[in-house]
Structures are given as C-alpha cells and as structure tokens.
Amino acid sequence: MFKSGVGFYYNVNNCERTLEFYAEKLGFKVLLIDEYKGQAMVTTNTEDYYIGFAETHSIVPSSTCITFEVENIEQVVHTLRQKDVEFQGDIFEIPGVVKLATFSDPDGYKLMLSERIG
C-alpha cells in the first residue's frame, strides 16, 4: 500500500537561511528552490527521504523531531559543532540501545542524531 520514502514539510521564516543550514551545515542536497512561491526542498543521504520548506511570516515549531541515523555520533556532533550547530546538552545514552543528540534548525524545529548500539 505504501511505497518507501518519507517527507516532512515545515513553515520557515527565510528559505535562503534554512537552505544554508540544511545544505551547508548538514550536507543535504537541494532538490528545489522556488523563489516566487517561497518554497524549497532538500534530500538527505537516505533514498526517498526529503524535507520541504515553505516561507511564511508566522512560525510555530512543532514538537515533532526528525531523527537522523548516524554511524558515529561523537564524530558527527564534533563536525557539526565546528559548523556552529548548537546542541541541547550532551550526547544522551540509553545503555545498550541508543545514543542521541538533539539540536535545532534556524526556526527552532528540533532535530536529533541517533546511533544504535548493542
């Protein structure tokens, strides 16, 4: 019934600033920029996984948190901190299960890194 892939869409204050964060800091590929409509879309390193953005004046970040799987969370956190990505606290570990690190995009949407362990 469903095919593989997932997409998320966010309202953002400034598409250009948002694309800079997702493309330059996180390394995602820009798929679409529609300056006339104030929309954009990026794809992650996961096939058929994309995030779309629509520019608006009023932003209310949701409690939804997109999680990105990584192989070495310490290395990725270090790399992103060098790109001025600010994390909320330290890496959190659920022993034998997962390591997690939370950060936000320029509009305050929560994002998380996850490394499965055990």
Side-chain angles (χ1 to χ4, degrees), residues 59-116:
I59 302 297
V60 180
S62 70
S63 60
T64 301
C65 181
I66 298 178
T67 303
F68 303 101
E69 294 288 328
V70 297
E71 290 187 28
N72 183 325
I73 198 166
E74 286 86 359
Q75 180 182 7
V76 175
V77 167
H78 176 75
T79 299
L80 292 179
R81 281 188 172 144
Q82 288 182 321
K83 295 179 179 183
D84 297 322
V85 173
E86 294 182 27
F87 285 81
Q88 285 84 50
D90 295 323
I91 295 170
F92 175 77
E93 183 175 340
I94 300 172
V97 180
V98 69
K99 292 180 184 179
L100 304 167
T102 305
F103 60 106
S104 298
D105 77 359
D107 288 291
Y109 292 107
K110 290 193 185 299
L111 304 171
M112 184 179 291
L113 302 176
S114 172
E115 178 187 346
R116 295 180 199 182

Side-chain angles (χ1 to χ4, degrees), residues 1-13:
M1 179 158 75
F2 297 98
K3 60 184 268 189
S4 68
V6 65
F8 292 90
Y9 291 89
Y10 288 142
N11 288 328
V12 298
N13 282 317

Side-chain angles (χ1 to χ4, degrees), residues 8-77:
F8 292 90
Y9 291 89
Y10 288 142
N11 288 328
V12 298
N13 282 317
N14 181 306
C15 270
E16 184 178 333
R17 178 187 70 178
T18 298
L19 285 176
E20 179 184 321
F21 178 83
Y22 283 88
E24 293 179 21
K25 294 189 182 211
L26 301 186
F28 297 159
K29 181 180 175 185
V30 177
L31 292 178
L32 166 78
I33 299 174
D34 185 336
E35 292 178 14
Y36 178 75
K37 291 183 179 178
Q39 297 177 344
M41 185 181 299
V42 297
T43 185
T44 70
N45 62 328
T46 303
E47 186 176 349
D48 297 326
Y49 188 110
Y50 58 90
I51 306 169
F53 311 103
E55 202 167 87
T56 186
H57 298 290
S58 177
I59 302 297
V60 180
S62 70
S63 60
T64 301
C65 181
I66 298 178
T67 303
F68 303 101
E69 294 288 328
V70 297
E71 290 187 28
N72 183 325
I73 198 166
E74 286 86 359
Q75 180 182 7
V76 175
V77 167

